Amino acid sequence: MSDNPGRNTINWYPGHMNKARIMMEESMRLVDLCVEIVDARAPLSSRNPDIDRMAKGKGRVIVLNKSDLADNNANSLWTSYFSDKGFQVCLTDSKNKSGLKDVNVALMAAAGEKLQRDAKRGIKNSSVKAMIVGIPNVGKSTFINAVVGKNTAKTGNKPGVTKGKQWISVGKNLEFLDTPGILWPKFEDPEVGRKLAYLGSINDEILVTEELAGDLLLKLKEDYPKLLLERYKIDDKALSEAEEDSFSTPQSRMLDIIARQRGCLKKGGEIDYFKTAGIVLDDFRSGRIGRISLEKP
Ligand code: G4P
């Protein structure tokens, strides 16, 4: 079980962020395409606020990755949403290598203008250069490895990209910058921070694990009541039957119910909320509760 939401975290203090921005801008000059990986479960919250400015003039692709964990209906809505905004869009599950066939088509479509320009100039076999970018934990390395077909992409998070730029060939006329560009998430909006913490993408020190899990359960009760009932047997009836005292909240009562189901009790029978919260977050992140999207267009 992983109840450490910050395992892929970078502390984005301003100096770090500036350095990453400069490196990103340098790298962006070298490529034709900006392939932005987002988490399909929260595509807006997992986007970087400055990417549109940094990638101005480049062919744009949005990869809704981890689509296997997201709600199918929301996946369709997000695909239309980004298509309408002029992006080429792919839905992928990089972990299981699904949806990858569409990636090449989307990238070539995004590079259409460049390819036409090159053709007019008589450049044959012109090569399209692309850069993979995204905030930590959206699956950049997994995506590169899956598309390239062997484990050539470096894993681990570094700000921006490394100095000595290397390219990986992907098929005949496509090249990826070997190291993905790590972007910083939106910090200002607490709601965004909360969603990224649910996903395990940031370590929000302000949010206590128990609070995070309780709030996630409350959100699931509103948006996915059937899944909550199936996984934890929680509905309004169960909630009203659960012990209610003047201090208890729906969040704590839901955690109580789950703790008793899972035997998360300390010595003396006291409820181990931390352990229970870890189970809930882990169940959610691994898709065991079901396919859930945290936001819809
Ligand atoms: P990053 O480079 O953007 O930081 O992300 P990375 O590829 O390291 O992926 C982060 C986690 O997300 C990994 O899980 C990875 O397996 C998982 N992942 C990536 N793409 C997908 C996807 O499309 N679907 C699903 N379900 N998971 C995906 P991990 O638990 O950190 O590692 P591991 O135990 O899976 O190796």
Side-chain angles (χ1 to χ4, degrees):
M1 186 189 75
S2 103
D3 49 9
N4 172 11
R7 62 205 151 87
N8 283 296
T9 301
I10 296 175
N11 291 315
W12 287 105
Y13 56 89
H16 195 151
M17 196 165 103
N18 265 340
K19 198 173 162 206
R21 182 182 284 136
I22 291 164
M23 288 174 99
M24 183 73 60
E25 282 170 348
E26 274 175 15
S27 304
M28 204 64 88
R29 276 189 226 120
L30 305 174
V31 299
D32 309 300
L33 298 183
C34 169
V35 180
E36 193 184 343
I37 316 276
V38 298
D39 191 313
R41 294 167 293 176
L44 289 188
S45 295
S46 60
R47 284 196 79 197
N48 167 275
D50 300 330
I51 189 67
D52 286 331
R53 186 186 53 75
M54 288 189 291
K56 210 167 172 213
K58 304 292 170 189
R60 302 293 301 276
V61 179
I62 291 260
V63 177
L64 295 162
N65 192 42
K66 306 200 186 186
S67 61
D68 54 309
L69 299 172
D71 175 341
N72 248 335
N73 178 38
N75 284 344
S76 311
L77 294 173
W78 283 116
T79 304
S80 309
Y81 172 90
F82 286 112
S83 300
D84 290 348
K85 293 201 178 304
F87 292 93
Q88 293 297 324
V89 189
C90 320
L91 270 175
T92 57
D93 165 4
S94 301
K95 195 169 179 174
N96 297 300
K97 300 187 168 59
S98 150
L100 299 179
K101 273 197 210 118
D102 300 336
V103 170
N104 202 51
V105 178
L107 264 61
M108 286 305 135
E113 273 181 32
K114 178 211 155 58
L115 293 172
Q116 274 176 6
R117 235 177 10 245
D118 286 355
K120 267 190 200 151
R121 288 181 192 152
I123 302 170
K124 280 185 197 139
N125 304 323
S126 75
S127 176
V128 175
K129 286 188 156 64
M131 179 180 181
I132 312 299
V133 303
I135 67 164
N137 204 40
V138 288
K140 296 176 295 298
S141 304
T142 312
F143 173 83
I144 295 178
N145 289 339
V147 172
V148 173
K150 43 187 183 313
N151 286 342
T152 43
K154 287 173 193 157
T155 47
N157 289 324
K158 289 180 199 134
V161 285
T162 46
K163 270 193 187 135
K165 310 260 184 315
Q166 285 182 12
W167 300 91
I168 314 172
S169 326
V170 189
K172 219 168 59 222
N173 57 349
L174 179 63
E175 282 175 285
F176 283 172
L177 200 54
D178 76 333
T179 313
I182 318 288
L183 295 166
W184 50 97
K186 292 171 199 157
F187 299 108
E188 324 73 52
D189 184 344
E191 203 37 49
V192 167
R194 188 175 289 271
K195 285 179 195 164
L196 295 179
Y198 291 153
L199 297 174
S201 295
I202 60 160
N203 188 7
D204 194 332
E205 273 132 34
I206 305 157
L207 298 167
V208 183
T209 306
E210 293 88 320
E211 235 175 73
L212 194 65
D215 289 349
L216 175 64
L217 289 168
L218 202 61
K219 185 164 174 59
L220 298 184
K221 192 174 170 299
E222 256 164 47
D223 297 347
Y224 295 92
K226 229 176 118 208
L227 296 181
L228 194 67
L229 182 64
E230 277 165 17
R231 180 83 193 162
Y232 301 122
K233 315 280 173 287
I234 291 176
D235 58 6
D236 284 331
K237 188 163 165 278
L239 261 186
S240 65
E241 281 168 8
E243 219 176 310
E244 193 172 348
D245 62 46
S246 53
F247 296 112
S248 83
T249 59
Q251 288 96 315
S252 69
R253 264 178 276 152
M254 286 193 267
L255 286 169
D256 281 357
I257 294 172
I258 297 166
R260 290 182 207 289
Q261 277 167 15
R262 304 293 155 107
C264 296
L265 303 172
K266 295 183 193 166
K267 274 182 206 149
E270 202 187 316
I271 283 174
D272 189 337
Y273 284 106
F274 185 74
K275 190 172 173 196
T276 315
I279 290 177
V280 171
L281 292 174
D282 206 44
D283 278 355
F284 167 70
R285 289 171 189 162
S286 59
R288 280 192 293 273
I289 302 177
R291 297 181 62 163
I292 290 161
S293 293
L294 297 174
E295 55 195 22
K296 290 189 180 144

